[in-house]
Amino acid sequence: MVETFQDQYRLAYRILRFSSYLLLGGVIAQFFSCLSAYLIISDSQAAGMLAHILIQHLSYYILGCTFIALSLANVLIKREQYGLRVIRMPALVLILVTATSSFLLIPRMDFLRETALLDGMPVALSPFANYFAILNGLTFVSVATQMICCGLMAWRLSKPRSTQVAPY
């Protein structure tokens, strides 16, 4: 006797795919909003502040969607849907990168910016300029990594699944 599981988890797969598409859309929106802040505002320090605020606020959305997708995938993996193992690593990297940029890098850059402003100069002219540039570069790399991980998750979930058959 052969029992198919294709229709049993169809709703769960749709929710998982939908959350990964929402996640990808959120990360792309984050990238374009940060890019437009740098292109529209002529003051690079103000543009950076706005971009970092956008990254921090959208990080809660990204972390929430990633947690939902990872939790649902883990539940389905425990129910012998082993094809979802391929999204575990991108989801974990996404959580790590998002949390690092939002809770470590950006608050440190805000502190450097405020310290420089208290000394009466912009951060680009302060003694912390090189350190700030390194942190800003790491933040850019983390946004690019977020886009890659989200795209990888959405791409892997959009592939048609083969029929899942449980042998007896």
Side-chain angles (χ1 to χ4, degrees):
M1 176 180 197
V2 176
E3 191 176 315
T4 64
F5 291 105
Q6 179 104 8
D7 295 332
Q8 185 177 3
Y9 300 117
R10 179 177 288 173
L11 180 63
Y13 272 98
R14 284 185 181 175
I15 292 171
L16 190 60
R17 190 176 301 125
F18 181 70
S19 68
S20 72
Y21 292 157
L22 282 177
L23 189 59
L24 181 62
V27 170
I28 290 172
Q30 176 185 4
F31 176 74
F32 282 121
S33 63
C34 293
L35 184 66
S36 65
Y38 278 108
L39 294 176
I40 292 172
I41 300 174
S42 60
D43 183 16
S44 64
Q45 186 169 347
M49 290 169 67
L50 180 64
H52 294 151
I53 288 170
L54 289 169
I55 289 172
Q56 280 184 316
H57 286 295
L58 285 173
S59 70
Y60 300 119
Y61 169 77
I62 292 168
L63 287 173
C65 284
T66 307
F67 181 74
I68 289 169
L70 186 61
S71 298
L72 187 59
N74 283 336
V75 167
L76 289 174
I77 289 170
K78 288 195 183 269
R79 294 183 181 174
E80 299 177 355
Q81 300 296 311
Y82 298 116
L84 292 175
R85 285 184 177 172
V86 295
I87 68 165
R88 274 184 173 168
M89 189 56 70
L92 291 173
V93 169
L94 182 62
I95 288 172
L96 180 69
V97 167
T98 303
T100 301
S101 68
S102 294
F103 302 123
L104 293 176
L105 297 177
I106 293 175
R108 183 67 181 161
M109 291 185 342
D110 289 341
F111 173 74
L112 293 175
R113 191 179 293 121
E114 289 174 12
T115 304
L117 287 175
L118 286 175
D119 292 338
M121 63 183 80
V123 74
L125 300 176
S126 73
F128 308 118
N130 290 333
Y131 183 51
F132 186 85
I134 290 169
L135 292 177
N136 200 19
L138 287 174
T139 304
F140 174 74
V141 168
S142 73
V143 170
T145 305
Q146 287 175 0
M147 288 182 63
I148 291 170
C149 289
C150 289
L152 193 59
M153 281 177 56
W155 177 65
R156 287 181 175 173
L157 286 171
S158 67
K159 286 194 227 176
R161 299 183 325 271
S162 61
T163 305
Q164 303 287 329
V165 177
Y168 280 99

